[in-house]
Amino acid sequence: MISPIFQVSVKKHGGTAYGQIIDGEFTVLKGSAIAAEVTRKDNVVESTRRQFELRKQLHERLNNEGAIVIDDKGIATLTRDVPFSSPSAAAAFVQGRATANGRREWRTKDNDTYADWEGRK
């Protein structure tokens, strides 16, 4: 079964990111709007702090490689597809957070969640 294209809102600037299962990985698609930076909340548990560090390092690496372009309004866009191990990792990265429930946040154009789609396939 071919995966539909999912989308998630990036609330920091009102943009939208798009993702799809490609070769078994949840891939955020080229042209997606993403958070321009990864932000960390204070007083988080150690596992969340580690996730924050991983997302921040990935964001910095992709930015240095030119896979993220930030315009003069502070809006970041992907210049290539970026694969993730899960929809949750992808959603957290796109939204500039340490964690996210990607199975609920990624939605099809018909507003079905990733979890809804996954349950039907």
Side-chain angles (χ1 to χ4, degrees), residues 44-56:
V44 295
V45 297
E46 179 63 20
S47 60
T48 301
R49 189 192 63 72
R50 283 194 306 269
Q51 289 301 315
F52 165 78
E53 291 301 328
L54 290 171
R55 307 273 182 260
K56 184 177 178 183

Side-chain angles (χ1 to χ4, degrees), residues 20-93:
Q20 187 173 32
I21 302 295
I22 299 174
D23 296 330
E25 295 180 297
F26 194 92
T27 302
V28 179
L29 303 175
K30 174 182 177 178
S32 290
I34 67 167
E37 63 183 352
V38 179
T39 55
R40 182 174 117 183
K41 294 181 181 177
D42 293 330
N43 302 323
V44 295
V45 297
E46 179 63 20
S47 60
T48 301
R49 189 192 63 72
R50 283 194 306 269
Q51 289 301 315
F52 165 78
E53 291 301 328
L54 290 171
R55 307 273 182 260
K56 184 177 178 183
Q57 289 171 10
L58 176 60
H59 197 284
E60 288 173 356
R61 182 174 59 81
L62 291 173
N63 193 26
N64 291 337
E65 292 173 358
I68 297 173
V69 174
I70 302 173
D71 70 15
D72 58 354
K73 294 178 184 174
I75 298 172
T77 305
L78 289 178
T79 63
R80 66 173 173 88
D81 293 350
V82 179
F84 289 86
S85 60
S86 71
S88 293
F93 174 79

Side-chain angles (χ1 to χ4, degrees), residues 8-18 32-34 75-76 94:
V8 67
S9 174
V10 182
K11 295 176 180 140
K12 290 185 179 187
H13 60 72
T16 303
Y18 300 92
S32 290
I34 67 167
I75 298 172
V94 160

